[in-house]
Amino acid sequence: MYRSHTCGELKATHTNTEVTLSGWVQGVRDKGFMVYVDLRDRYGITQLYFDEEQTAAAILERAQKLGREFVIQVKGKVQERASKNPNIPTGEVEVLVTELTVLNSSIVPPFTIEDKTDGGDDLRMKYRYLDIRRNPVKESLIFRHKVAQAVRNYLSNQDFIEVETPYLIKSTPEGARDFVVPSRMNEGQFYALPQSPQTFKQLLMVGGMDKYFQIVKCFRDEDLRADRQPEFTQIDCEMAFVEQEDILNTFEGLTRHLLKEINGVEVDKFPRMLYDDAMRLYGNDKPDIRFGMEFGELNAVAQHKDFNVFNSAELVVGIAVPGGNAYTRKEIDKLIDWVKRPQVGALGMVYCRCNDDGTFKSSVDKFYDQNDLEKWAEVTGAKAGDLICVLSGETNKVRAQLSALRMELAERLGLRKPDEFAPLWVMDFPLLEWDEDTERYHAMHHPFTSPKPGQLELLDTKPGEVKANAYDLVLNGNEIGGGSIRIHDKSTQAIMLKLLGFSEEEARAQFGFLMNAFEYGAPPHGGIAFGLDRLVAILGGQETIRDFIAFPKNNSGRDVMIDAPAPIDDEQLTELSLKLNLKS
Amino acid sequence: MYRSHTCGELKATHTNTEVTLSGWVQGVRDKGFMVYVDLRDRYGITQLYFDEEQTAAAILERAQKLGREFVIQVKGKVQERASKNPNIPTGEVEVLVTELTVLNSSIVPPFTIEDKTDGGDDLRMKYRYLDIRRNPVKESLIFRHKVAQAVRNYLSNQDFIEVETPYLIKSTPEGARDFVVPSRMNEGQFYALPQSPQTFKQLLMVGGMDKYFQIVKCFRDEDLRADRQPEFTQIDCEMAFVEQEDILNTFEGLTRHLLKEINGVEVDKFPRMLYDDAMRLYGNDKPDIRFGMEFGELNAVAQHKDFNVFNSAELVVGIAVPGGNAYTRKEIDKLIDWVKRPQVGALGMVYCRCNDDGTFKSSVDKFYDQNDLEKWAEVTGAKAGDLICVLSGETNKVRAQLSALRMELAERLGLRKPDEFAPLWVMDFPLLEWDEDTERYHAMHHPFTSPKPGQLELLDTKPGEVKANAYDLVLNGNEIGGGSIRIHDKSTQAIMLKLLGFSEEEARAQFGFLMNAFEYGAPPHGGIAFGLDRLVAILGGQETIRDFIAFPKNNSGRDVMIDAPAPIDDEQLTELSLKLNLKS
């Protein structure tokens, strides 16, 4: 037995108990005649005490030679500390060591194993096993486990069945790029790794397994942006014999349960917003509603004056920045530079100060008088002391730009509080979106999403206007889940696939098994999938997902710790009936 | 709302309740003026009733036209049945239907949706979504979910943390063949899919996450035998600061919990058996100890007579078949044919009848007298009325042959009872096994398994005799789990890898990250992995795993439902810097 207790549990009540502890040496304070060692394990830190009078000389000497991250086992007696440390749970006691065994030595770690480490990101990733010893990473992984357990228990208690769907499936050209897996036994053929278990969960509905979920890895071979991983985890869910309302209620229940169980936060019924309203009011289909700063569309009050920039714009839209009138001219100029950065892409920004005395001072006073500006304030909801920021241009672009500005300012103003949770359903997404590159419609959600009742007819005439039975769950400005009511009849599915540019033959080759399944009594069904990595990060009050993933990959899709991917043997390639065909 | 109740819950207490049900038409009995429809969903079957007097004519007519597997929704009132069916939970009642909506039609399914279907295996796999509607498959999947939930809750309650390890990792030449995944972003390089998360769980131990588990998919590109899948699920576990005894106790606890929670069976402390004893007594490292029929080694009593077959054999070994003396000569001849089949491979079989009067009659009476045969009976534990079956030859081969015979006879004698559970730890496996093909030692478990204390020295001189700190958990003759205490110091790991034929360079290339990690204070650790597919099947009292997997692959690694694997576009291949290099 390596330990009788963990390093996180000894308290004053254990005084005089003989204990055995094992762990890592966090640090050694050698005062010559006395030595203090902080011993760390997953559960905490306990102080070990050695002194000339009470410790055998050989043991004291060995203690003095301990290095950081040595693995040791000690036996000894718990005693109250001379000077207590109220900051840690074990701070009342220490262990007077009578036996010391070095279980393993350690060379000096490349960074400090502290909450605030001196290690940069690259180093931490390369030595992730050391990084995991640090509290912030360790606690994030434990937090993730707790969330996953809470999800599983909640859904199981509601009669959901977790069903494992296969990982070696079939490549489909729709959606993102697949990772593929060459098959040795089926020469020249490939499996694909699932981007999601979408078709399998629909087949489970056809199979009568009317409440399904799975916490499952999914894969997308996309060029990686910051905070995106080639493999990621979904909470994948599907229900049969349900309407949209049933699904919203069920998963609002799950989310509310998590907020309560994990964060201790009680949340009211989640508000719902139409996609069109989200775009109009926040320029964004995943608005952060922890704060206001809603968009005010200014076309009616700002156009038809002599300001051509606005007159020629499709949309003129502004937000009121609370207290923004306090910004200096220099600060405002910086803000203008900020929106002009290529990442945001605005051509410029008009602003209007709302003075405390009720007067206005804008950057376009040449064109707009006080009456005009008062209307701007009305529309954007600006009060005395605020700053109105106005952008103009092509509707979609200008909304995205103003949304970026809104989020940036909220961040600066401290309005995005990590311990405040504002969930929101965004509803009635468009069914299709036009892709400029390929000049055809793509499914906005996926090709199995059903149009809203009564809109099937529009598909032929105005496909871009058709709304879908699709919904996203947004939390604090992040999409944490998205889903839809699916098409469950073969003819609608055929129309959809045709509209998405599939020939009948292609449709049969790719989705034949689903179309076949729909011949045999498919029930009405729908579902949702949550991104677990993101959900966990947000519940944990963090912006980035990386510390909630044990072994993440970098932006080139590499695991720098194990150095993967890597070349493979020619023999292995030959067995797979493959040859390299390098571009360079 | 598609339903107010499921098809499994209505009872006499619901009489006169207005209900809405949805489900599949299991069958229609049309008696002209009355129609009975069995409506099925995941939860059961409820009888629907229509008649001329109480049902609107249009509805009655629609009911008469319903086909098998149509999806319908009905509203109506619960009433007691005229003739009750005590065999199903809803057998007391029926629903007098007032509204009927056909939600989807169905063409005639390719096999009957009944517990005993007329569909063959191939057809069932092709239409797996229909197969899942059948109770035996549906219940197996639900059973699997319950087992997985019980595992997760038990381990979580014991402070284990489920950590997700990556699926896109690095190919290693050791062990079975890897499935590989070409990387588009890293030209000419490949990920591998994990055969197990072995190294990652060890890195988690180095990282201080001292109790880890994960229910995780693993992948092996091996030629498939019956009942083996290219992707399979493990319950993967690892602990730090533990000795072998701690691990055995922990996972004996888990297994006992599952037997109790899932099967309602209380099991005593699991017996333990040395690997050498298992081979000696059962010819098998995973003995089924639900019944006796232990091997008796007969060299001492059967050699040095005039029977050259035995004299020249390395091992002469027999078992007593309870009641086997009742076999006719013809039956015994058939048994001899059975052991001579190529799958078993014996050259012949000697037998000895134990007559009720205490005399013996053997097939080799020419060489052995009654005294000799009495000794055979003593050694094999044969009693009057039994039959002694004796095989001889090279030790390993003859043990395997007699083990096959023992299992076959036990099966025929009904000694392998599916509702009886006999767990067993098999301990002290050899560390290495000699591979005839490559003429070198292979790790029997894996290269990270530690030798038993004090046996490190033998590694140089008699590597084949070194035992490992390795153990298997056997249940009813199946290995359900296996694990070991790992090597945690760098120098032993280096010795092991050298012995397994890795050059220093190869070792660094393949396992460098683990060897590196061992520089930084690796704790003593060990673990175990359970095969979930097999475990669930055995707990479910079944021999084959396939019905416990939602979408299994066939023996060529194909998913015949979705028709995967499949060729991919040239464009996709080019993007991956690959070309086909077909052999044919």
Side-chain angles (χ1 to χ4, degrees):
Chain A
M1 194 201 54
Y2 276 102
R3 56 189 172 188
S4 62
H5 295 75
T6 71
C7 295
E9 65 179 310
L10 296 178
K11 299 203 164 46
T13 50
H14 292 92
T15 303
N16 287 324
T17 312
E18 292 285 344
V19 298
T20 306
L21 298 182
S22 290
W24 285 267
V25 172
Q26 176 76 25
V28 179
R29 273 160 296 145
D30 180 2
K31 315 215 161 186
F33 59 98
M34 304 191 300
V35 176
Y36 294 97
V37 172
D38 279 342
L39 187 66
R40 186 195 68 235
D41 67 9
R42 181 183 131 194
Y43 310 89
I45 287 182
T46 296
Q47 179 168 295
L48 309 179
Y49 178 72
F50 308 74
D51 77 17
E52 260 180 359
E53 280 176 31
Q54 302 175 83
T55 312
I59 292 178
L60 183 68
E61 198 184 330
R62 233 182 299 149
Q64 286 167 322
K65 285 185 183 154
L66 289 173
R68 267 167 52 206
E69 301 306 316
F70 274 43
V71 186
I72 61 171
Q73 182 191 43
V74 295
K75 297 188 184 200
K77 194 181 277 189
V78 180
Q79 63 186 24
E80 284 200 43
R81 282 202 206 177
S83 63
K84 301 196 169 42
N85 178 353
N87 298 323
I88 62 170
T90 60
E92 292 183 316
V93 296
E94 63 194 5
V95 174
L96 175 66
V97 175
T98 52
E99 281 182 48
L100 167 63
T101 311
V102 174
L103 299 173
N104 220 336
S105 62
S106 171
I107 59 177
V108 176
F111 50 82
T112 55
I113 312 297
E114 306 276 358
D115 290 5
K116 294 213 183 251
T117 181
D118 57 359
D121 268 5
D122 291 349
L123 213 52
R124 286 177 49 207
M125 287 307 128
K126 179 155 185 204
Y127 297 91
R128 185 63 160 179
Y129 44 88
L130 298 178
D131 201 27
I132 291 172
R133 289 188 192 164
R134 296 171 51 241
N135 278 323
V137 182
K138 181 191 71 185
E139 293 303 334
S140 296
L141 296 179
I142 294 175
F143 186 81
R144 181 189 182 105
H145 165 68
K146 283 186 183 152
V147 173
Q149 273 294 106
V151 169
R152 284 197 163 95
N153 287 330
Y154 182 86
L155 292 176
S156 297
N157 288 338
Q158 309 245 340
D159 269 339
F160 280 81
I161 304 296
E162 183 162 20
V163 179
E164 294 179 50
T165 53
Y167 277 78
L168 296 173
I169 63 165
K170 191 173 178 171
S171 192
T172 58
E174 185 69 7
R177 231 183 251 103
D178 286 319
F179 282 106
V180 296
V181 181
S183 165
R184 185 179 51 85
M185 292 179 73
N186 300 273
E187 205 188 16
Q189 302 192 13
F190 295 75
Y191 302 99
L193 298 178
Q195 295 185 30
S196 90
Q198 182 62 34
T199 46
F200 287 96
K201 69 177 174 176
Q202 292 194 245
L203 292 173
L204 285 170
M205 295 307 109
V206 176
M209 194 62 76
D210 60 10
K211 289 177 168 186
Y212 146 91
F213 83 102
Q214 187 183 191
I215 299 188
V216 61
K217 273 280 175 76
C218 300
F219 304 85
R220 273 181 212 169
D221 183 16
E222 286 181 326
D223 296 327
L224 299 172
R225 294 184 304 214
D227 222 28
R228 239 214 219 154
Q229 292 281 322
E231 49 178 305
F232 55 97
T233 307
Q234 273 190 5
I235 308 169
D236 193 49
C237 310
E238 195 82 2
M239 301 172 79
F241 299 116
V242 288
E243 288 158 351
Q244 179 165 295
E245 194 61 29
D246 301 308
I247 296 196
L248 299 187
N249 286 334
T250 302
F251 295 99
E252 186 165 322
L254 169 66
T255 311
R256 190 180 286 115
H257 173 77
L258 293 178
L259 286 167
K260 183 156 182 218
E261 173 116 344
I262 303 291
N263 297 87
V265 173
E266 301 260 9
V267 184
D268 287 338
K269 191 155 172 54
F270 296 2
R272 298 180 183 185
M273 190 181 289
L274 295 180
Y275 167 87
D276 286 347
D277 291 336
M279 295 308 289
R280 189 173 49 78
L281 291 172
Y282 301 96
N284 198 314
D285 60 2
K286 42 179 200 279
D288 189 341
I289 58 166
R290 280 176 295 186
F291 57 96
M293 297 172 71
E294 287 179 4
F295 288 14
E297 297 195 346
L298 299 167
N299 290 32
V301 296
Q303 286 182 331
H304 311 298
K305 306 278 166 173
D306 289 338
F307 187 43
N308 275 331
V309 173
F310 282 2
N311 288 346
S312 62
E314 192 183 357
L315 179 67
V316 182
V317 59
I319 50 172
V321 184
N325 191 26
Y327 291 171
T328 62
R329 175 61 202 258
K330 210 170 167 184
E331 284 171 323
I332 293 177
D333 282 346
K334 271 198 182 163
L335 214 53
I336 294 172
D337 287 343
W338 191 91
V339 297
K340 286 161 95 174
R341 296 186 321 153
Q343 299 95 316
V344 182
L347 293 173
M349 182 180 94
V350 165
Y351 67 87
C352 172
R353 292 175 174 283
C354 306
N355 296 320
D356 288 338
D357 61 4
T359 64
F360 299 94
K361 173 86 190 90
S362 83
S363 57
V364 285
D365 278 353
K366 239 198 292 188
F367 307 108
Y368 299 95
D369 62 22
Q370 291 290 312
N371 271 343
D372 294 332
L373 298 175
E374 193 172 347
K375 283 182 196 141
W376 292 19
E378 265 171 45
V379 173
T380 59
K383 294 187 302 287
D386 290 355
L387 179 76
I388 303 172
C389 296
V390 183
L391 300 180
S392 63
E394 193 268 307
T395 301
N396 290 341
K397 282 185 187 159
V398 79
R399 281 178 170 169
Q401 291 156 5
L402 192 62
S403 172
L405 178 63
R406 174 178 177 269
M407 294 297 271
E408 172 69 17
L409 288 169
E411 193 69 51
R412 293 186 193 177
L413 291 165
L415 300 174
R416 306 195 65 198
K417 301 193 184 108
D419 56 348
E420 194 180 324
F421 295 96
L424 171 74
W425 287 110
V426 178
M427 324 266 303
D428 294 5
F429 276 74
L431 184 67
L432 303 165
E433 63 187 342
W434 183 252
D435 186 64
E436 298 286 350
D437 291 344
T438 56
E439 295 201 319
R440 63 185 185 87
Y441 281 105
H442 278 274
M444 190 149 181
H445 193 55
H446 54 55
F448 316 111
T449 300
S450 68
K452 285 205 84 72
Q455 302 213 332
L456 200 53
E457 297 66 37
L458 275 179
L459 269 181
D460 276 336
T461 51
K462 296 174 179 172
E465 290 184 15
V466 177
K467 299 293 187 212
N469 279 320
Y471 33 82
D472 275 359
L473 183 53
V474 173
L475 184 58
N476 294 0
N478 295 279
E479 181 209 325
I480 58 165
S484 65
I485 297 294
R486 324 300 181 188
I487 298 166
H488 71 282
D489 68 298
K490 215 193 140 211
S491 60
T492 311
Q493 189 63 71
I495 293 173
M496 260 307 270
L497 290 176
K498 194 176 159 195
L499 204 72
L500 294 172
F502 287 88
S503 72
E504 229 173 284
E505 201 181 317
E506 284 168 338
R508 203 175 308 118
Q510 290 305 328
F511 304 111
F513 56 98
L514 190 66
M515 312 279 275
N516 273 346
F518 282 3
E519 302 266 25
Y520 295 98
H525 62 286
I528 193 167
F530 293 85
L532 181 65
D533 307 299
R534 171 83 40 214
L535 174 65
V536 168
I538 294 169
L539 294 178
Q542 303 285 322
E543 286 286 315
T544 58
I545 61 176
R546 217 164 56 164
D547 278 351
F548 294 87
I549 299 171
F551 301 101
K553 293 191 173 53
N554 73 9
N555 283 351
S556 320
R558 295 199 69 82
D559 182 327
V560 295
M561 181 185 70
I562 63 170
D563 196 24
I568 59 173
D569 291 351
D570 284 346
E571 198 188 329
Q572 220 172 339
L573 276 172
T574 306
E575 266 196 332
L576 296 169
S577 303
L578 288 177
K579 248 199 303 219
L580 291 186
N581 178 25
L582 302 182
K583 292 168 192 90
S584 46
Chain B
M1 193 202 51
Y2 275 101
R3 55 187 171 190
S4 63
H5 295 74
T6 71
C7 295
E9 66 179 312
L10 295 179
K11 298 204 165 43
T13 50
H14 292 92
T15 304
N16 287 324
T17 312
E18 292 284 345
V19 298
T20 307
L21 299 182
S22 290
W24 286 266
V25 173
Q26 176 74 25
V28 180
R29 273 162 295 145
D30 180 2
K31 317 217 160 187
F33 57 102
M34 302 192 301
V35 176
Y36 295 97
V37 172
D38 278 341
L39 187 67
R40 187 194 70 236
D41 66 9
R42 182 183 130 195
Y43 310 89
I45 287 183
T46 296
Q47 179 168 296
L48 309 180
Y49 178 74
F50 308 74
D51 77 17
E52 260 180 1
E53 281 178 29
Q54 301 175 83
T55 312
I59 292 178
L60 183 68
E61 197 184 335
R62 234 181 298 149
Q64 286 166 321
K65 285 186 183 152
L66 290 174
R68 267 168 54 206
E69 302 306 315
F70 274 45
V71 185
I72 63 170
Q73 182 190 45
V74 295
K75 297 187 186 201
K77 194 182 278 188
V78 180
Q79 63 186 26
E80 286 200 44
R81 282 202 207 177
S83 61
K84 301 194 169 44
N85 177 355
N87 298 322
I88 62 170
T90 60
E92 294 183 315
V93 296
E94 62 193 7
V95 175
L96 175 66
V97 175
T98 52
E99 282 182 47
L100 166 64
T101 311
V102 174
L103 300 173
N104 220 334
S105 62
S106 171
I107 59 176
V108 177
F111 51 83
T112 55
I113 312 297
E114 306 278 357
D115 290 6
K116 296 215 182 245
T117 180
D118 57 358
D121 268 6
D122 290 350
L123 212 53
R124 286 177 48 207
M125 287 308 127
K126 178 154 187 208
Y127 297 91
R128 185 64 161 177
Y129 44 86
L130 297 179
D131 200 27
I132 291 172
R133 288 187 193 165
R134 295 172 52 243
N135 278 323
V137 181
K138 181 191 72 184
E139 293 303 334
S140 296
L141 296 178
I142 294 175
F143 185 82
R144 181 188 182 106
H145 165 68
K146 283 185 184 153
V147 173
Q149 272 295 105
V151 169
R152 284 197 162 96
N153 286 330
Y154 183 86
L155 292 176
S156 298
N157 288 338
Q158 308 246 340
D159 269 340
F160 280 80
I161 303 297
E162 183 162 19
V163 179
E164 293 178 53
T165 53
Y167 278 76
L168 297 173
I169 64 165
K170 191 174 178 170
S171 192
T172 59
E174 186 68 7
R177 231 182 252 105
D178 287 320
F179 282 107
V180 297
V181 182
S183 166
R184 186 179 50 86
M185 291 179 76
N186 300 272
E187 206 189 17
Q189 302 191 13
F190 295 75
Y191 302 99
L193 299 178
Q195 296 185 30
S196 91
Q198 183 62 32
T199 47
F200 287 95
K201 69 177 174 176
Q202 292 194 246
L203 292 172
L204 285 170
M205 294 306 109
V206 175
M209 195 63 75
D210 60 9
K211 289 176 168 185
Y212 147 90
F213 82 103
Q214 188 183 189
I215 298 186
V216 61
K217 274 280 175 78
C218 300
F219 304 85
R220 274 182 210 167
D221 184 13
E222 287 181 326
D223 296 328
L224 299 172
R225 294 185 303 214
D227 221 30
R228 238 212 220 157
Q229 292 281 322
E231 50 178 303
F232 55 97
T233 307
Q234 275 190 3
I235 309 169
D236 192 50
C237 310
E238 196 82 2
M239 301 172 80
F241 299 115
V242 287
E243 288 157 353
Q244 181 166 294
E245 194 60 30
D246 301 307
I247 296 195
L248 299 188
N249 286 334
T250 302
F251 295 99
E252 186 165 323
L254 169 65
T255 311
R256 190 179 287 115
H257 173 78
L258 293 178
L259 285 168
K260 183 156 182 218
E261 175 118 344
I262 303 291
N263 297 87
V265 173
E266 301 261 10
V267 185
D268 288 338
K269 191 156 173 53
F270 295 3
R272 297 180 185 185
M273 191 181 290
L274 296 180
Y275 168 85
D276 286 346
D277 291 337
M279 294 308 289
R280 189 172 50 79
L281 291 172
Y282 301 96
N284 197 313
D285 61 1
K286 41 179 202 277
D288 189 340
I289 57 165
R290 279 176 295 184
F291 56 97
M293 297 173 71
E294 288 179 4
F295 289 13
E297 297 194 347
L298 298 167
N299 290 34
V301 298
Q303 286 181 331
H304 311 299
K305 307 277 168 176
D306 289 338
F307 187 42
N308 274 330
V309 173
F310 281 3
N311 289 345
S312 64
E314 193 183 358
L315 179 67
V316 181
V317 60
I319 50 172
V321 184
N325 192 27
Y327 291 172
T328 62
R329 175 62 203 257
K330 210 168 165 185
E331 284 171 323
I332 293 178
D333 282 346
K334 271 197 182 165
L335 215 53
I336 294 172
D337 287 344
W338 191 89
V339 298
K340 285 161 97 174
R341 297 186 322 153
Q343 299 95 316
V344 182
L347 293 173
M349 184 181 93
V350 165
Y351 66 89
C352 173
R353 292 176 175 280
C354 306
N355 295 320
D356 288 340
D357 61 4
T359 63
F360 300 96
K361 175 84 190 89
S362 83
S363 57
V364 284
D365 278 353
K366 239 199 293 191
F367 307 108
Y368 300 95
D369 61 20
Q370 291 290 311
N371 270 344
D372 293 332
L373 297 174
E374 192 171 348
K375 282 180 197 144
W376 292 20
E378 266 170 42
V379 173
T380 59
K383 293 188 302 286
D386 290 357
L387 179 76
I388 304 170
C389 296
V390 183
L391 300 181
S392 63
E394 194 266 307
T395 302
N396 290 342
K397 282 185 187 158
V398 78
R399 280 177 170 169
Q401 292 156 6
L402 192 61
S403 172
L405 178 62
R406 175 178 177 269
M407 295 297 271
E408 173 68 16
L409 287 169
E411 192 70 50
R412 294 187 192 176
L413 291 165
L415 300 174
R416 306 195 66 199
K417 302 195 185 103
D419 57 346
E420 193 181 323
F421 294 97
L424 171 74
W425 287 109
V426 177
M427 324 267 304
D428 294 6
F429 276 73
L431 184 66
L432 303 166
E433 63 187 342
W434 182 253
D435 185 64
E436 298 285 349
D437 292 343
T438 56
E439 295 203 317
R440 63 185 186 88
Y441 281 105
H442 278 274
M444 190 150 178
H445 193 57
H446 54 52
F448 316 111
T449 299
S450 68
K452 286 205 83 72
Q455 303 213 331
L456 201 53
E457 296 69 33
L458 275 179
L459 268 181
D460 277 336
T461 52
K462 298 174 179 169
E465 290 184 16
V466 177
K467 299 294 188 211
N469 280 318
Y471 33 81
D472 275 0
L473 184 53
V474 173
L475 184 58
N476 295 0
N478 296 279
E479 181 209 322
I480 58 165
S484 65
I485 297 295
R486 323 301 180 188
I487 299 166
H488 71 281
D489 69 296
K490 214 195 142 210
S491 59
T492 311
Q493 189 64 71
I495 293 173
M496 261 306 270
L497 290 176
K498 196 176 159 196
L499 202 71
L500 294 172
F502 286 89
S503 72
E504 230 174 283
E505 202 181 314
E506 285 167 339
R508 203 176 307 117
Q510 290 305 329
F511 304 111
F513 55 100
L514 190 67
M515 312 279 275
N516 274 346
F518 280 4
E519 302 266 24
Y520 295 98
H525 62 286
I528 193 167
F530 293 85
L532 181 65
D533 307 299
R534 171 82 42 211
L535 174 65
V536 168
I538 294 170
L539 293 179
Q542 303 285 323
E543 288 285 314
T544 57
I545 62 177
R546 216 164 57 165
D547 278 352
F548 294 87
I549 298 171
F551 300 102
K553 294 189 173 56
N554 73 9
N555 283 351
S556 320
R558 294 200 69 82
D559 182 327
V560 295
M561 181 186 70
I562 64 171
D563 196 24
I568 59 173
D569 291 351
D570 284 346
E571 198 187 328
Q572 221 172 337
L573 276 173
T574 306
E575 266 196 333
L576 296 169
S577 303
L578 288 177
K579 249 202 298 220
L580 291 186
N581 178 25
L582 301 183
K583 291 167 193 91
S584 45

